[in-house]
Amino acid sequence: MANIGVGIIGTGSIVHTYIKCLSEMDGVRIVGLCTKSTDRVEQVKAEFGLPVYSDYGSFLALPEIDLVCICNESGKHSEAIEAAAMANKHVLSEKPLEVTTEKIDALIALCDKQRVLLGCVLQNRCSTDYRKVEKAVKSGKLGKLLMGNASINWYRSEAYYSKSNWRGTIKLDGGAAFINQGIHTVDLLMNLMGPAVSVFANVQTRVHLIEGEDVGAALINYKNGAIGTITAGTALYPGYPERVEVYGEKGSIIMEGGKITSWNIRDEETPKLSTESLGSGAADPTAIGHQNHKIVLQDMVEAIRYNKKPMVNGEEARKSVALINAIYESSRNKKQVQL
């Protein structure tokens, strides 16, 4: 393939990031955009100067499209991914892949049947500092893992929710602080600590007029015997950079805002720390940079070219959603949930 043709479903704020990334990449061409909102077609055409379609049928019939990026509401990812897979297009979806594991399982099965690649954007795995942490943990430098914690203690204004017809809803967002804002950090933690076997959690809606939670906490038991906590919120003014802590018998590493802030491992020198500015969505979702998205998109293009697994495939993307679904179930039923 000389060029990979890319189409994008959804025209919300995240699309600016995708178009910026794709415009900086060699060997790709943006074919067009698709929005289900007919009222937005002309506005989006004017904004991006690209062809815009208002129905999946005519959009996905375009033979130039090889890859479809899914950027619509989380709870509508299934219908978009299903349509793309049935049209024999490869798929890269924004997080979460879907809001329940049942829907994710169905999507994985369909994409396997159609022989199309399915990837998910969990771009925080791509930062230079996180990759150093991942290498240290998975190579055993911390020894036996004892505790893994995460906090996504962020803030969103009431307007963030009131100006949207889907954010914070159960049907289209799947919840709120954990599954929307928190999922990236939950993914990082699980990738480091391994699978969870049980969770006891309490989530609440204390400030915002939304269905989902704006504050919550969970106690995690991991398969490897370690324990940990996850806290998340969008009512925690003014919002603090997300944090990941990993403790092992030989030392510990702490990351904040995507950067290593503490590296204390016995008999190990502290590595040279990155100076890259990643941005944090602690108070402003638009403050997050685009470079890690670009790495994920480049990886997906390479996966198509060489028929290999994407960086985060359906099975990988499922893990964080499974834990977050269990957090919600535990809070609803006020009891520990086994995974």
Side-chain angles (χ1 to χ4, degrees):
M1 295 180 180
N3 280 305
I4 300 291
V6 181
I8 303 173
I9 291 178
T11 56
S13 58
I14 193 63
V15 171
H16 292 84
T17 298
Y18 279 75
I19 290 176
K20 184 174 179 61
C21 293
L22 292 164
S23 67
E24 294 176 1
M25 292 168 55
D26 295 326
V28 299
R29 180 171 75 88
I30 305 173
V31 177
L33 309 175
C34 184
T35 174
K36 280 294 192 76
S37 173
T38 54
D39 296 339
R40 283 180 52 79
V41 171
E42 294 306 319
Q43 174 192 336
V44 175
K45 278 183 184 177
E47 186 172 4
F48 296 111
L50 292 165
V52 181
Y53 299 79
S54 59
D55 68 281
Y56 291 164
S58 55
F59 176 68
L60 293 170
L62 297 171
E64 310 97 289
I65 294 179
D66 305 296
L67 169 65
V68 178
C69 295
I70 308 298
C71 297
N72 60 348
E73 304 94 329
S74 300
K76 291 184 177 179
H77 284 180
S78 279
E79 64 179 51
I81 294 171
E82 287 169 5
M86 292 303 294
N88 296 308
K89 312 295 186 183
H90 301 291
V91 178
L92 179 65
S93 174
E94 258 300 306
K95 59 74 187 171
L97 190 55
E98 246 293 353
V99 298
T100 69
T101 53
E102 292 80 9
K103 289 182 176 182
I104 290 174
D105 290 340
L107 293 173
I108 292 170
L110 175 63
C111 290
D112 284 347
K113 180 182 177 184
Q114 293 298 109
R115 298 185 180 180
V116 297
L117 297 178
L118 174 63
C120 185
V121 179
L122 288 164
Q123 77 277 4
N124 289 8
R125 291 191 183 200
C126 300
S127 76
T128 303
D129 276 16
Y130 180 74
R131 285 176 165 170
K132 290 176 182 175
V133 177
E134 182 181 25
K135 183 177 179 181
V137 172
K138 292 188 175 181
S139 66
K141 287 185 177 180
L142 272 68
K144 179 175 25 175
L145 296 179
L146 307 176
M147 183 181 292
N149 304 325
S151 60
I152 314 96
N153 298 336
W154 285 6
Y155 177 75
R156 292 291 183 267
S157 68
E158 187 61 48
Y160 171 81
Y161 292 108
S162 64
K163 289 181 179 179
S164 167
N165 63 0
W166 69 275
R167 288 180 180 142
T169 67
I170 300 302
K171 181 179 180 181
L172 296 181
D173 210 359
F178 274 95
I179 200 162
N180 188 317
Q181 286 74 25
I183 192 166
H184 284 295
T185 311
V186 172
D187 172 68
L188 298 185
L189 183 67
M190 295 192 70
N191 187 44
L192 296 173
M193 297 299 298
V197 293
S198 68
V199 59
F200 184 78
N202 183 6
V203 304
Q204 300 178 15
T205 311
R206 299 295 304 277
V207 174
H208 297 96
L209 299 174
I210 57 175
E211 295 175 339
E213 78 289 354
D214 58 13
V215 65
L219 176 63
I220 312 297
N221 290 304
Y222 299 100
K223 186 177 181 180
N224 59 17
I227 60 173
T229 62
I230 305 174
T231 63
T234 56
L236 305 173
Y237 184 84
Y240 297 90
E242 63 280 7
R243 184 177 172 98
V244 175
E245 305 172 348
V246 181
Y247 300 90
E249 60 182 334
K250 296 180 181 178
S252 58
I253 306 174
I254 296 174
M255 293 188 70
E256 197 167 280
K259 299 172 76 76
I260 297 166
T261 55
S262 296
W263 180 289
N264 296 290
I265 304 175
R266 283 198 294 268
D267 305 320
E268 284 282 338
E269 289 186 16
T270 301
K272 184 178 179 181
L273 302 184
S274 170
T275 58
E276 65 181 325
S277 178
L278 302 176
S280 171
D284 178 5
T286 66
I288 300 169
H290 77 289
Q291 288 301 323
N292 289 339
H293 263 86
K294 185 176 172 181
I295 294 171
V296 176
L297 280 159
Q298 288 173 325
D299 172 82
M300 189 69 189
V301 168
E302 292 300 301
I304 294 169
R305 287 189 188 282
Y306 300 108
N307 192 30
K308 64 184 184 71
K309 275 187 183 181
M311 181 187 302
V312 177
N313 62 10
E315 288 79 6
E316 277 295 300
R318 184 188 190 279
K319 294 175 181 178
S320 51
V321 175
L323 178 57
I324 292 168
N325 283 176
I327 287 170
Y328 292 156
E329 181 184 348
S330 174
S331 185
R332 281 195 306 271
N333 297 327
K334 296 181 171 55
K335 65 179 184 181
Q336 189 178 58
V337 170
Q338 305 296 316
L339 282 93

